[in-house]
Amino acid sequence: MKKIIVTGGCGYIGSHTAIELIENDFEVVIFDDLSNSSEKTLERIEKITGVRPIFEKIDLKDERATEFAFDRYKDAFAVIHFAALKAVGDSIEKPLEYYQNNLYSFLNTLMCQHKLGIHKFIFSSSATVYGNPDVLPITEENKTQRPFSPYGNTKKIAEEILDDFTKSNPNFAAISLRYFNPIGAHESGNIGELPNGTPNNLMPYITQTAAGVRKKLMVFGNDYPTKDGTPIRDYIHVVDLAKAHVKALERLLNQDQEQPLEIYNLGTGNGFSVLDVIQSFDRVSNTKLNYEITGRRDGDVPKLYAATNLALEKLGWKAEKGLDEMIDSSWRWEQKYRNNKNDI
């Protein structure tokens, strides 16, 4: 059984990926500082898979602590690196905190695994590296641009570091996965997106508003050059996204990669506006969401949606779940969590 280190594995995407890894017979070791997650996530993973991942509470910004942790698991075959702060708006208000957290943790992880001879790496990147794209849908051939937020820029900088590093170390192989907009929850309803404090992403804010936790959803801007004036994004089910990581890992372990660093878009190829998502939620939940149109939010671009041909060709991966299914699973998770906090 191959051992995989998953940094940020108690977070939203990391935890769903841990489930898919376990169900594909990998041994999962989670490194997480729990700054935006909960140790109860380990219980939720175990409830779904029957296996409790190995867990190390660790601040990856701390180089010495990271070295000690990696030394305990130097028999690992690969690292999947999720650990990062990820809120666009928050990063604009606290840029130095984002650069310090996201880049220190990235560099320490990369240096420690390299020192121990763990030469396979998957990076959790973002479509924000494309900035405001000139051409849609976005292919991997689109040039990256200076993102509109420090969060996005940390992903762009990390990819540039990874590119330099893989060129200088031919035995090191990496895949960077550029996510579009993950939403949804595991079909069991036992795990889903659960941010600490006020959500920064659309879907948990919608479900928390519908559940009465929030009074109102604020829609940031209806004057964009889109069909209804609200921003358009490529929403992808988190389970589809998690499965892509398993496919990428298999490509690395089978040594199928054609370049030291390969980059893939992960989306559905379809763009939905914020109002599309709200209307879908109303339909799926049979409720009427309370929302208000307000001014634009710094860091948002009008349209982002992916071309995903390369992931299909090279990874054998394609998103399978539609928008209504994404929203239905998010709503079921929210309801189950609010009604059974002590049981999940």
Side-chain angles (χ1 to χ4, degrees):
M1 184 179 288
K2 289 182 169 61
K3 185 177 292 179
I4 311 299
I5 295 172
V6 181
T7 72
C10 287
Y12 176 45
I13 302 171
S15 60
H16 283 82
T17 300
I19 290 166
E20 294 299 322
L21 290 169
I22 291 168
E23 292 182 342
N24 281 273
D25 298 322
F26 291 99
E27 183 180 5
V28 173
V29 179
I30 289 176
F31 291 176
D32 203 304
D33 67 0
L34 304 179
S35 60
N36 194 33
S37 58
S38 167
E39 197 167 347
K40 288 196 72 173
T41 300
L42 301 171
E43 299 172 19
R44 295 170 184 139
I45 293 172
E46 184 177 15
K47 188 171 184 178
I48 293 167
T49 66
V51 176
R52 188 181 182 91
I54 300 167
F55 175 68
E56 294 276 347
K57 184 178 180 181
I58 177 173
D59 181 355
L60 294 171
K61 299 192 301 298
D62 184 330
E63 184 177 354
R64 182 64 62 85
T66 304
E67 287 178 352
F68 287 152
F70 267 93
D71 193 58
R72 288 192 287 275
Y73 303 100
K74 55 190 172 186
D75 58 337
F77 279 78
V79 174
I80 304 179
H81 183 65
F82 294 101
L85 298 173
K86 63 175 186 176
V88 169
D90 195 44
S91 76
I92 292 170
E93 295 176 4
K94 297 180 284 188
L96 293 183
E97 183 178 332
Y98 270 69
Y99 284 116
Q100 180 188 49
N101 184 86
N102 292 6
L103 294 178
Y104 280 23
S105 62
F106 170 82
L107 287 167
N108 286 339
T109 295
L110 203 57
M111 288 190 293
C112 288
Q113 72 169 94
H114 178 57
K115 187 182 297 183
L116 293 172
I118 305 171
H119 294 319
K120 308 292 184 185
F121 184 78
I122 295 174
F123 180 55
S124 167
S125 190
S126 167
T128 57
V129 301
Y130 293 114
N132 191 358
D134 298 323
V135 179
L136 292 168
I138 299 168
T139 75
E140 291 82 357
E141 297 300 316
N142 278 55
K143 289 184 178 180
T144 59
Q145 302 180 36
R146 174 61 161 87
F148 289 89
S149 70
Y151 159 73
N153 207 34
T154 66
K155 297 297 186 181
K156 183 175 181 290
I157 292 169
E159 279 196 356
E160 291 168 351
I161 293 169
L162 197 54
D163 185 41
D164 289 339
F165 181 69
T166 53
K167 285 176 180 175
S168 66
N169 291 275
N171 293 327
F172 195 94
I175 290 177
S176 183
L177 300 175
R178 292 174 176 169
Y179 311 156
F180 279 67
N181 287 70
I183 61 174
H186 192 269
E187 63 183 2
S188 67
N190 290 324
I191 198 165
E193 189 168 11
L194 188 63
N196 291 338
T198 303
N200 287 286
N201 295 333
L202 176 63
M203 202 65 237
Y205 214 111
I206 284 177
T207 57
Q208 288 187 19
T209 300
V213 179
R214 310 284 165 193
K215 291 182 179 180
K216 185 185 297 183
L217 170 71
M218 307 306 291
V219 176
F220 297 107
N222 67 343
D223 58 350
Y224 287 95
T226 62
K227 62 180 183 178
D228 58 24
T230 63
I232 287 176
R233 296 290 182 267
D234 188 339
Y235 295 95
I236 177 173
H237 199 294
V238 67
V239 172
D240 280 336
L241 193 67
K243 289 178 178 178
H245 291 76
V246 177
K247 291 287 190 180
L249 181 60
E250 290 170 348
R251 183 170 175 84
L252 288 178
L253 295 180
N254 293 334
Q255 298 184 326
D256 290 334
Q257 69 275 11
E258 298 162 9
Q259 302 291 333
L261 171 62
E262 294 184 344
I263 293 172
Y264 297 97
N265 289 339
L266 297 183
T268 65
N270 298 309
F272 295 97
S273 72
V274 174
L275 291 183
D276 284 336
V277 175
I278 291 172
Q279 289 161 9
S280 176
F281 181 83
D282 286 349
R283 181 172 61 253
V284 166
S285 65
N286 197 29
T287 61
K288 189 70 175 174
L289 193 70
N290 184 26
Y291 71 90
E292 178 184 333
I293 305 291
T294 186
R296 292 188 183 190
R297 179 175 59 180
D298 289 341
D300 282 339
V301 300
K303 298 178 185 179
L304 286 174
Y305 58 93
T308 59
N309 312 62
L310 192 64
L312 178 60
E313 178 188 348
K314 302 296 185 181
L315 302 181
W317 173 88
K318 184 179 181 180
E320 297 176 350
K321 301 179 187 297
L323 182 62
D324 283 1
E325 191 172 357
M326 301 179 210
I327 289 173
D328 180 59
S329 64
S330 294
W331 181 225
R332 284 189 289 107
W333 152 249
E334 184 73 45
Q335 291 176 298
K336 189 169 184 178
Y337 174 75
R338 297 299 164 190
N339 293 331
N340 305 279
K341 283 186 180 181
N342 296 325
D343 296 329
I344 61 172

